[in-house]
Amino acid sequence: MEPDGSAGLARTAALKLSEMGERTKQLGSAMHEPERQRRVILVIVCVALFLDNMLYMVIVPIVPDYLADLESKQAVHIHGNSSTNPGASNREKLDMEIGVLFASKAILQLLVNPLSGTFIDRVGYDIPLLIGLLVMFVSTCIFAFADNYWTLFVARSLQGLGSAFADTAGIAMIADKYPEEAERSRALGVALAFISFGSLVAPPFGGILYEFAGKRVPFIVLACVCLADGVLLLTVIKPFSNRTRENMPVGTPIYRLMIDPYIAVVAGALTVCNIPLAFLEPTISNWMESTMNASKWEMGLVWLPAFLPHVLGVYLTVRLAAKYPDLQWFYGALGMVIIGASSCTVAACKNFVQLIFPLCGICFGIALVDTALLPTLAFLVDVRHVSVYGSVYAIADISYSVAYAMGPVIAGQIVHSMGFLQLNLGMGLVNVLYAPALLLLRYVCQVKPSASERNVLLEEGPTGLYDSIKLEERKLKRKGLCSTTITAACPVDENGFFERSKSSSSEDSSGPEYT
């Protein structure tokens, strides 16, 4: 028979275990609340987008210097020449290698996006996001330990593969979880702020750690953050136990979305507005060095002040879109005019301080265009196609990739053959001339005040089964509960996600599209 003291300790331990179990259950039930889970999903996606853009830009101050060191070591080994200044032919070869390396991510991302968008539409958003994070983790580890050009090339290309899944799935997941237009614009605005922060803070982050800690440390830090985000995704969303994908409606094929004139106009605007940024990143450092004798720290920090105007542009567009939702097309057109005017003034700058202002104008304009048009893509899918967002945001990712694939390869050739001034004037003119094309969206944007209820283009309200179910789903998602009277139309899985019914799924696959 147990002594009284031992029995008391056993009872105390059992009570504590019971209390811990209750708290775990309470935490689990809290995580099933749609509103709280949406916020956690937003955090996971924002970290993934931040990491992707950090990985894209962190190599800017590292790779050129590292490859130059590799070239000099090879010259010493082969010719016994200790000179660190390569000849003109070697310099041109090195510039070409750097340009191809920088562009390889965007090129592979461009090729994979049509497949990743279709895959996301078929299986849902969470598993592709996890795949993207895992590929990004592997590519970052390879980058950390790569010691030759071709290993760096493989690592950079793998980053493009991971981005094609992570970026598209993340943005599509935000659009899906925030069906209300104002909430969706706000959530996508937060995601864009993280994208901007990752792009602009990466060069100084990489340059400082590379100089004081070596090449491996920046990539190891980013790999650890990537791994932590993947673990959080597995813990909170539990992608392999989520059954919502079994009842997902069949999304519109990507080729049909591409020929939609409204979506095509938005995609073109996203490409054109990012051309100045994509073309200046590989060329502006050499121009600063040759024209204003800029130091290394000035070349590394020239983009950092532009973060504040970008965030300001996101904030203003979200606030204006909430108040005047029918003017989204105008915010995008205004952003393109600002980008064009700012780009035309870059070559006139004589020093570092002057250069900051047009670069801030470019980033401010890009914020206006992206924040206005990314939610518009989801809205166009809602009212003209089936509300599945993988393919439409794959088109958005293709638009970005086109600009960033051309930039490192074409921009340098334009500067050598025509000049830096002509490059900037051409980019500015293209943006200003494209802005009127967004007038095509003005009639579509006028129906935005009631866009969240899916019957915006139906004069007599929802008449079909698909539209009725979608209207009820949206109302219930907004309330965060599921009525017992329409449980069949809106079941909830063990993770707290709303499932579409099989009847609505079958209607979606063959239901009408509204034009």
Side-chain angles (χ1 to χ4, degrees):
M1 186 174 177
E2 260 188 351
D4 290 342
S6 299
L9 287 173
R11 282 196 298 272
T12 303
L15 285 172
K16 287 189 178 294
L17 287 172
S18 177
E19 289 176 4
M20 289 174 62
E22 280 297 320
R23 288 175 185 171
T24 303
K25 287 180 181 178
Q26 289 174 3
L27 180 62
S29 62
M31 288 308 301
H32 289 169
E33 296 175 9
E35 185 61 33
R36 184 167 298 187
Q37 195 168 52
R38 286 199 310 177
R39 292 176 183 172
V40 177
I41 288 170
L42 182 60
V43 170
I44 292 171
V45 172
C46 286
V47 172
L49 296 173
F50 169 78
L51 278 169
D52 178 52
N53 286 272
M54 281 285 287
L55 291 171
Y56 180 78
M57 293 296 295
V58 76
I59 71 169
V60 170
I62 297 175
V63 166
D65 187 65
Y66 183 71
L67 288 179
D69 286 344
L70 287 179
E71 290 281 341
S72 63
K73 289 177 182 177
Q74 288 177 0
V76 170
H77 179 72
I78 297 172
H79 304 292
N81 182 9
S82 61
S83 173
T84 57
N85 296 319
S89 60
N90 288 338
R91 181 74 246 181
E92 187 175 349
K93 175 176 174 288
L94 182 61
D95 287 343
M96 180 60 69
E97 287 179 347
I98 292 172
V100 171
L101 180 65
F102 275 51
S104 61
K105 174 185 182 294
I107 291 172
L108 189 64
Q109 196 169 342
L110 178 64
L111 296 174
V112 174
N113 264 315
L115 303 176
S116 67
T118 303
F119 179 72
I120 291 165
D121 284 348
R122 294 291 183 269
V123 305
Y125 310 111
D126 40 14
I127 289 180
L129 179 57
L130 180 62
I131 292 172
L133 286 171
L134 289 175
V135 174
M136 286 163 57
F137 171 75
V138 172
S139 68
T140 309
C141 292
I142 294 174
F143 239 119
F145 297 97
D147 58 358
N148 59 72
Y149 176 81
W150 291 108
T151 310
L152 292 172
F153 182 84
V154 170
R156 183 67 166 173
S157 301
L158 278 176
Q159 284 181 5
L161 177 63
S163 299
F165 285 93
D167 289 8
T168 306
I171 296 292
M173 184 181 285
I174 292 176
D176 184 70
K177 300 305 175 188
Y178 290 86
E180 295 300 315
E181 195 66 26
E183 291 181 343
R184 180 181 285 166
S185 294
R186 194 178 304 115
L188 288 174
V190 172
L192 288 171
F194 273 83
I195 290 173
S196 170
F197 184 64
S199 298
L200 298 177
V201 81
F205 166 83
I208 292 170
L209 286 182
Y210 173 63
E211 184 172 351
F212 294 103
K215 179 180 76 74
R216 293 181 180 179
V217 174
F219 298 105
I220 291 174
V221 171
L222 294 177
C224 291
V225 177
C226 189
L227 184 62
D229 197 43
V231 170
L232 184 62
L233 174 65
L234 282 171
T235 305
V236 174
I237 301 182
K238 299 178 181 177
F240 295 104
S241 64
N242 184 6
R243 293 194 301 268
T244 57
R245 69 187 63 88
E246 296 174 3
N247 297 314
M248 280 186 66
V250 177
T252 306
I254 191 169
Y255 70 89
R256 290 181 59 189
L257 295 177
M258 283 181 169
I259 62 176
D260 185 307
Y262 299 106
I263 293 175
V265 166
V266 173
L270 293 175
T271 299
V272 171
C273 79
N274 280 278
I275 282 176
L277 193 60
F279 280 48
L280 284 175
E281 281 172 352
T283 57
I284 198 168
S285 295
N286 289 334
W287 177 79
M288 288 174 66
E289 187 175 10
S290 62
T291 59
M292 59 183 69
N293 295 319
S295 60
K296 292 291 185 183
W297 72 266
E298 286 177 330
M299 290 185 283
L301 294 179
V302 68
W303 291 100
L304 190 58
F307 171 69
L308 293 178
H310 189 279
V311 173
L312 177 63
V314 170
Y315 175 78
L316 287 177
T317 310
V318 169
R319 295 297 298 269
L320 289 171
K323 196 170 183 180
Y324 307 105
D326 56 322
L327 293 177
Q328 294 278 63
W329 66 271
F330 175 74
Y331 309 141
L334 178 62
M336 299 193 78
V337 172
I338 293 173
I339 293 168
S342 301
S343 179
C344 290
T345 61
V346 168
C349 297
K350 301 299 182 184
N351 55 59
F352 174 77
V353 176
Q354 291 178 5
L355 185 58
I356 288 175
F357 292 99
L359 296 184
C360 287
I362 290 173
C363 289
F364 179 77
I366 290 174
L368 292 182
V369 178
D370 288 349
T371 311
L373 297 187
L374 280 179
T376 301
L377 282 175
F379 169 76
L380 290 170
V381 169
D382 284 339
V383 298
R384 293 173 60 80
H385 303 279
V386 181
S387 296
V388 180
Y389 307 102
S391 291
V392 76
Y393 282 111
I395 293 173
D397 211 26
I398 289 171
S399 303
Y400 294 126
S401 299
V402 168
Y404 285 96
M406 292 190 302
V409 177
I410 297 177
Q413 301 299 321
I414 295 175
V415 170
H416 286 307
S417 60
M418 300 176 64
F420 190 76
L421 173 63
Q422 285 73 17
L423 172 68
N424 283 274
L425 290 177
M427 295 187 301
L429 187 62
V430 168
N431 272 273
V432 173
L433 291 178
Y434 194 92
L438 295 179
L439 285 167
L440 183 65
L441 302 175
R442 68 189 186 279
Y443 297 118
V444 179
C445 291
Q446 285 173 1
V447 297
K448 279 205 169 188
S450 57
S452 61
E453 294 184 354
R454 185 64 167 87
N455 61 334
V456 290
L457 299 183
L458 302 177
E459 295 179 358
E460 300 179 356
T463 56
L465 176 61
Y466 170 75
D467 297 299
S468 301
I469 290 173
K470 288 298 294 179
L471 178 58
E472 293 299 332
E473 270 192 42
R474 294 287 175 88
K475 289 180 179 178
L476 290 170
K477 282 186 178 181
R478 194 162 62 244
K479 294 177 182 178
L481 49 86
C482 190
S483 171
T484 56
T485 60
I486 56 168
T487 304
C490 185
V492 180
D493 70 357
E494 71 275 11
N495 291 316
F497 287 103
F498 287 91
E499 294 183 352
R500 293 181 174 89
S501 67
K502 293 182 179 178
S503 60
S504 66
S505 176
S506 61
E507 288 288 331
D508 286 342
S509 60
S510 59
E513 293 180 4
Y514 301 99
T515 58

